[in-house]
Amino acid sequence: MKPLAGHSRSAGTGALCVLAASVLWGTTGTAATFAPEVGPLAIGAVAMGLGGLLQALAAAAQLARHAPRLRERRRAVLLGAASVAVYPLAFYSSMHLAGVAVGTVVSIGTAPLASALIERVMDGRRLTRRWTTAAALGLLGTVLLCVAEAGHAADGAGPASVAGTLLGVGLGLVAAATYALYSWAAHRLISRGLPSRAAMGAVFGLGGVLLLPVLLATGAPLVGSWSNAAVGTYMAVVPMFAGYVLFGWGLARVPASTATTLSQLEPAVAAVLAVLVVGERLPAAGWMGIALVIACLAVLTTPSPAARRRQRRSDGPARAGEARGTAHPATVLLPGAEADGG
């Protein structure tokens, strides 16, 4: 199936939404350091739990309107919700053990590979050479950053021990897998005709409910001081609620594999903030890793000459179709992933 007129512009808007969400998410690790008495499980539960419930509350009308269709797609909803519940617990524990920079880079930097595998198995989606190049750059950057930080820890100069770094990397891989799963589930719901607010509200709202017991068991320090409460409120409202609203808009326009690759901007933002605000130190190899992550984003988001030529060719017929009032079905493809079988 060939992209129709306006789809590259729609995909560009979707990419910008995902990138904006990634910038907001990149602040979470640094924000968590301002509440040192609050453990990573409580931080994860309040951020994703309350943020998810806010998503459901904001989408209440659409959830009610589309409840029958959500029940028909309950497997995708349940898979996404379970992944939403696991992700923040693994993600914030990874940052707690391995440091903000490494935990974020591993969790987000390896998500595109998990997402690609999921889409290949579940959707039969083949990946283009351009997407593979971008993912390889992002993965290489992730590996460089992790190796640099592990060596930093071995020298006694880093924020974590070698064992803690390795365990944090393992939990980061769990976070990457669950991030890819809930992104795929939400995109599956949206691509089946559900509005993004209804799909995201269902997945994140139910995920928030699943996180409530964890919040009740571990969240007492959040009300122990105004600063802790402010951190919890910020995490739930800004990066989680607002960020995932933007992410939902992006998923309505680009495939999940593209969205997870674009979100590799998050670890670069997190690493820079960890150095500038938290005081973590990155060796030269770590900065090279961040540069490769940024290069990955440049490769993925810059339109290829072939794509620009196709867009110019399609603009004329599309405008004629719009003048006749012809509606075109949406094809959600960025340069990076293609669906088998048209």
Side-chain angles (χ1 to χ4, degrees):
M1 183 180 292
K2 294 180 181 179
L4 299 172
H7 292 158
S8 62
R9 288 190 291 272
S10 177
T13 301
L16 288 175
C17 287
V18 175
L19 290 173
S22 300
V23 171
L24 294 180
W25 296 337
T27 67
T28 59
T30 297
T33 64
F34 288 95
E37 304 90 356
V38 183
L41 297 182
I43 286 289
V46 72
M48 212 73 151
L50 293 188
L53 293 176
L54 286 173
Q55 287 252 28
L57 184 61
Q62 293 208 22
L63 287 173
R65 187 179 307 123
H66 297 282
R69 298 175 65 191
L70 287 167
R71 283 194 292 270
E72 291 174 2
R73 305 285 178 184
R74 58 184 173 275
R75 289 185 180 179
V77 173
L78 291 173
L79 175 63
S83 300
V84 164
V86 173
Y87 167 75
L89 307 181
F91 177 53
Y92 289 101
S93 295
S94 175
M95 286 194 294
H96 179 73
L97 290 168
V100 173
V102 170
T104 308
V105 170
V106 173
S107 299
I108 306 304
T110 58
L113 301 181
S115 183
L117 180 60
I118 292 167
E119 288 189 348
R120 182 63 187 168
V121 172
M122 303 297 289
D123 300 332
R125 186 181 295 278
R126 66 180 183 270
L127 299 172
T128 65
R129 187 177 303 169
R130 187 179 186 191
W131 185 93
T132 304
T133 300
L137 286 172
L139 181 61
L140 180 58
T142 298
V143 170
L144 270 177
L145 192 82
C146 291
V147 170
E149 189 62 27
H152 207 37
D155 293 338
S161 66
V162 174
T165 298
L166 293 176
L167 180 56
V169 168
L171 288 170
L173 294 175
V174 173
T178 50
Y179 173 41
L181 276 171
Y182 73 66
S183 298
W184 175 84
H187 179 71
R188 167 61 67 93
L189 293 169
I190 293 168
S191 65
R192 295 301 186 270
L194 283 162
S196 64
R197 287 182 64 187
M200 298 293 283
V203 168
F204 283 83
L206 184 55
V209 171
L210 295 176
L211 283 167
L212 284 180
V214 179
L215 180 58
L216 291 174
T218 63
L222 286 164
V223 294
S225 71
W226 284 108
S227 61
N228 290 352
V231 168
T233 301
Y234 170 81
M235 300 277 275
V237 174
V238 179
M240 294 305 148
F241 174 63
Y244 278 102
V245 168
L246 289 167
F247 189 63
W249 290 344
L251 280 176
R253 294 164 174 83
V254 300
S257 59
T258 299
T260 52
T261 304
L262 287 168
S263 65
Q264 287 188 84
L265 179 61
E266 176 186 350
V269 172
V272 170
L273 288 176
V275 171
L276 296 180
V277 180
V278 181
E280 293 185 8
R281 295 178 60 191
L282 284 179
W287 288 109
M288 188 178 298
I290 292 175
L292 286 173
V293 169
I294 295 172
C296 153
L297 297 173
V299 169
L300 188 64
T301 56
T302 303
S304 66
R308 286 194 291 265
R309 286 194 297 270
R310 286 195 301 269
Q311 178 60 29
R312 283 195 295 268
R313 286 197 300 268
S314 64
D315 274 346
R319 288 195 188 100
E322 289 167 3
R324 292 192 301 269
T326 303
H328 295 287
T331 301
V332 187
L333 294 179
L334 258 187
E338 297 176 351
D340 283 344

